[in-house]
Each structure stands twice: as structure tokens, then as C-alpha cells.
């Protein structure tokens, strides 16, 4: 069971890396951005924490919406990424 889970995680990581190679310059995946700020967690937990962070800061949410953010968006353009970085450090 543990070996299967490790193989599944490795396969997901490989798919994530392939997707990142195809993104235009400056774009980031939701998971990649979340893992930058919450590296101690796995992908789904990091994404959930990022979502909670955004929901908990109305000022950041307003700025993200002006930058084109949508809550279920999987990939963020450079403008949205810069808003995340400005608010989260």
C-alpha cells in the first residue's frame, strides 16, 4: 500500500512538472504557488491552506479579483502571481 502511494505521488509530480514546462513564462500552477508558501505540506493540503489564506484576507481577495483571479482557477497568470507575492511576501 505504501509503495503504491509513493508511486502515485511520484507520477503526479511528474505530470505536474510536465505541465509546468508547457506554461507560458511567468504563469504558475495553483499547486506550485501553494507549495512555495507551504513547503512542509503535500500538494492538496498546501492548496487548501492557500485558499483559506485568500478567503481570510478581504483586501487580498479584492486585489486578486481585479487581477483576474477566479477561485477554481488552476493556473495563474503573472499579474495574479505578483499580487500573491505582494501580499504573502
Amino acid at each position: 500500500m505504501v509503495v503504491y502511494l509513493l508511486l502515485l505521488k511520484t507520477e503526479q509530480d511528474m505530470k505536474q512538472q510536465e505541465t509546468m514546462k508547457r506554461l507560458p513564462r511567468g504563469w504558475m500552477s495553483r499547486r506550485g504557488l501553494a507549495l512555495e508558501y507551504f513547503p512542509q505540506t503535500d500538494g492538496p493540503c498546501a492548496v487548501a491552506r492557500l485558499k483559506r489564506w485568500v478567503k481570510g484576507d478581504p483586501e487580498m481577495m479584492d486585489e486578486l479579483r481585479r487581477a483576474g483571479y477566479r477561485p477554481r482557477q488552476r493556473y495563474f497568470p503573472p499579474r495574479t502571481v505578483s499580487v500573491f507575492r505582494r501580499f504573502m511576501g
Side-chain angles (χ1 to χ4, degrees):
M1 179 74 170
V2 172
V3 173
Y4 173 73
L5 291 175
L6 289 174
L7 288 174
L8 181 62
K9 183 172 181 158
T10 303
E11 185 177 319
Q12 289 172 343
D13 290 341
M14 288 177 10
K15 286 180 184 177
Q16 174 78 15
Q17 289 172 357
E18 282 298 313
T19 302
M20 290 301 293
K21 288 179 188 175
R22 291 180 290 192
L23 287 176
R25 185 181 176 122
W27 283 63
M28 286 199 74
S29 71
R30 177 178 56 192
R31 182 178 180 181
L33 186 66
L35 286 171
E36 274 189 20
Y37 291 102
F38 307 104
Q40 69 280 10
T41 61
D42 64 344
C45 289
V47 169
R49 290 179 74 178
L50 182 68
K51 286 180 181 180
R52 280 195 304 267
W53 192 296
V54 169
K55 285 181 181 180
D57 188 341
E59 186 180 341
M60 181 166 73
M61 180 60 103
D62 288 342
E63 188 74 26
L64 284 168
R65 282 196 179 124
R66 282 194 291 268
Y69 172 81
R70 294 183 319 271
R72 293 200 168 123
Q73 193 170 1
R74 290 184 182 212
Y75 301 99
F76 302 122
R79 186 173 172 194
T80 306
V81 173
S82 69
V83 173
F84 273 110
R85 293 212 165 112
R86 188 170 60 240
F87 276 88
M88 297 181 77

